[in-house]
Amino acid sequence: MILGIESSCDETAAAVLAEGPRVVSSVVASQLDTHAKYGGVVPELASREHLRAIVPVVAEAMERAGVGYAGLSAVAVTEGPGLVGSLLVGMTFAKALAMAHRLPLIAVNHLEGHIHAVVMEARLEGREIELPAVALVASGGHTHLFAVREGYRYELLGRTRDDAAGEAYDKVAKLLGFGYPGGPVIDRLAPYGDAGAVPFTFARMKGNTLDFSFSGLKTAVLRWFESRGMEAEVAARRELSRRVGRPSVEEWLTVTPPETLDLLASFQAAAVRELVRRAGEAIETAGGRALIVSGGVASNAGLRAAATERAMGCPVYFPTPALSTDNAAMIAAAAFPKLACGAYAGMDLRAKAGLALA
Ligand code: KG4
Ligand code: ZN
């Protein structure tokens, strides 16, 4: 069994996995309520919340798994990428546990974790993902396309040059008064608008055509916002959030006129179109036999509807919601192949904010 620890952003998480890999216990403490009022993650507050949560979260994962430290084979921890102050909390704790209980320490790249969440779930359903596969990892911090080759070797095919996909959702939601995180709200409201109403276009990429750029889309929404005088409705939505905390779709609809729903629908359609198109090109380039979609944006209903096996020309794998956002089960899952080949980290392991996977 492996204990996994994840603290790269705003979730403190610990999980125990058995060989397979199979999730025995998984605990996630979200800091959403701490950061929501600031419209995004505040790094200093994140570090402090991780410090508060790390001991009880790990204790609960161990207790629910019903194993003692003597029953573990290793401790796995996220090495990066992420907020360095946040990463440090999980890493220091993992090192201390490994040292105290004489267990090997395994370093895991956060993005590799997101990919392994999907590999693990497919395997549990009796499906082995054929390699080479293409992985689209899209979250609040990343929008990357990788080729996943035999032995879980990775090749970077493309990445965002500016905003991540989830970040674009979050910024648009913040601008329009829908609070944080923006992805889930826009995703749930998009079906109420006309996706063809606002014609958003993307600039052609110079250089690597598999790279993404979402800042143009975000700016287009800002221009639209400025030209329409939406201040009153935005104020009404902010007031609604203040009053009820996390409004329901019905509540949002009472303060969101049809034109704004059209804007959201058009934004979502453009973002999804861009993700699907580049993923399709990546499959062609890498000779991909499967598409793995992971990261917080993988929960997007529009993306799930568009990236079908028929559209992509190969099997497509999405994680269940619990494993699409940050968690520690994916970190432990990614550690099993490393345990098998003795790829251990030393006590000099360091947290790396900008760690690359390939
Ligand atoms: O993977 P994750 O939990 O944390 C990061 O590593 O960033 O992803 C969170 C991001 C946020 O930007 C959030 O707005 C976005 O994923 N997100 C979504 C959806 N659910 C979460 N974006 C679009 N549609 C969704 N349904
Ligand atoms: Zn993540």
Side-chain angles (χ1 to χ4, degrees):
M1 290 199 193
I2 294 181
L3 167 68
I5 295 176
E6 151 71 34
S7 68
S8 65
C9 189
D10 58 346
E11 257 100 32
T12 318
V16 176
L17 270 71
E19 187 96 64
R22 179 174 59 82
V23 181
V24 182
S25 70
S26 179
V27 179
V28 180
S30 172
Q31 305 177 0
L32 223 54
D33 293 337
T34 305
H35 302 289
K37 53 181 170 289
Y38 303 100
V41 177
V42 183
E44 290 78 4
L45 294 183
S47 309
R48 196 160 67 195
E49 291 301 310
H50 283 305
L51 275 175
R52 282 208 184 105
I54 191 78
V55 173
V57 163
V58 171
E60 193 178 337
M62 290 297 290
E63 197 174 310
R64 279 200 211 165
V67 288
Y69 283 96
L72 295 178
S73 306
V75 179
V77 67
T78 308
E79 177 187 12
L83 300 169
V84 79
S86 292
L87 287 163
L88 266 173
V89 176
M91 178 159 294
T92 309
F93 199 69
K95 280 184 185 175
L97 285 177
M99 193 180 270
H101 299 287
R102 299 178 191 284
L103 290 165
L105 182 69
I106 297 176
V108 174
N109 183 300
H110 181 80
L111 300 183
E112 185 175 20
H114 273 300
I115 294 170
H116 272 269
V118 182
V119 173
M120 169 171 64
E121 288 195 311
R123 201 169 280 167
L124 283 177
E125 289 174 4
R127 303 201 296 168
E128 194 65 28
I129 298 179
E130 262 198 272
L131 303 179
V134 165
L136 167 66
V137 184
S139 69
H142 324 278
T143 308
H144 286 59
L145 278 166
F146 296 102
V148 183
R149 303 202 190 279
E150 219 48 66
Y152 298 108
R153 288 177 300 110
Y154 305 90
E155 182 195 340
L156 180 67
L157 299 173
R159 56 171 298 170
T160 182
R161 296 201 190 152
D162 37 62
D163 292 346
E167 189 179 1
Y169 271 91
D170 293 338
K171 287 180 176 170
V172 164
K174 186 176 182 179
L175 173 74
L176 300 177
F178 288 103
Y180 173 85
V185 182
I186 294 179
D187 191 17
R188 282 186 290 146
L189 291 176
Y192 294 88
D194 172 5
V198 188
F200 290 122
T201 51
F202 280 89
R204 288 244 339 257
M205 296 306 277
K206 293 208 186 75
N208 184 0
T209 56
L210 293 180
D211 279 349
F212 297 92
S213 169
F214 287 99
S215 73
L217 180 59
K218 180 192 64 189
T219 309
V221 173
L222 178 63
R223 296 278 166 274
W224 207 88
F225 168 83
E226 287 169 345
S227 70
R228 303 291 151 133
M230 296 166 76
E231 286 75 12
E233 58 171 289
V234 169
R237 284 191 288 269
R238 297 221 167 102
E239 178 52 33
L240 173 67
S241 295
R242 245 191 311 275
R243 210 153 32 79
V244 305
R246 241 167 266 155
S248 65
V249 167
E250 289 68 31
E251 287 168 322
W252 282 127
L253 288 174
T254 63
V255 283
T256 308
E259 306 79 63
T260 304
L261 293 169
D262 289 348
L263 175 70
L264 297 182
S266 304
F267 166 80
Q268 162 121 326
V272 166
R273 203 161 54 233
E274 189 66 0
L275 291 169
V276 169
R277 181 163 51 142
R278 303 258 184 253
E281 287 166 7
I283 290 167
E284 245 171 66
T285 305
R289 295 186 183 180
L291 174 64
I292 295 169
V293 186
S294 196
V297 181
S299 3
N300 188 274
L303 180 60
R304 284 174 179 254
T308 57
E309 173 155 359
R310 188 140 166 269
M312 309 314 295
C314 63
V316 182
Y317 298 86
F318 281 94
T320 55
L323 283 183
S324 73
T325 50
D326 288 348
N327 64 85
M330 68 187 199
I331 301 304
F336 274 97
K338 299 180 199 295
L339 177 68
C341 64
Y344 302 144
M347 282 295 147
D348 56 350
L349 180 67
R350 297 187 56 178
K352 300 174 191 81
L355 181 66
L357 179 54

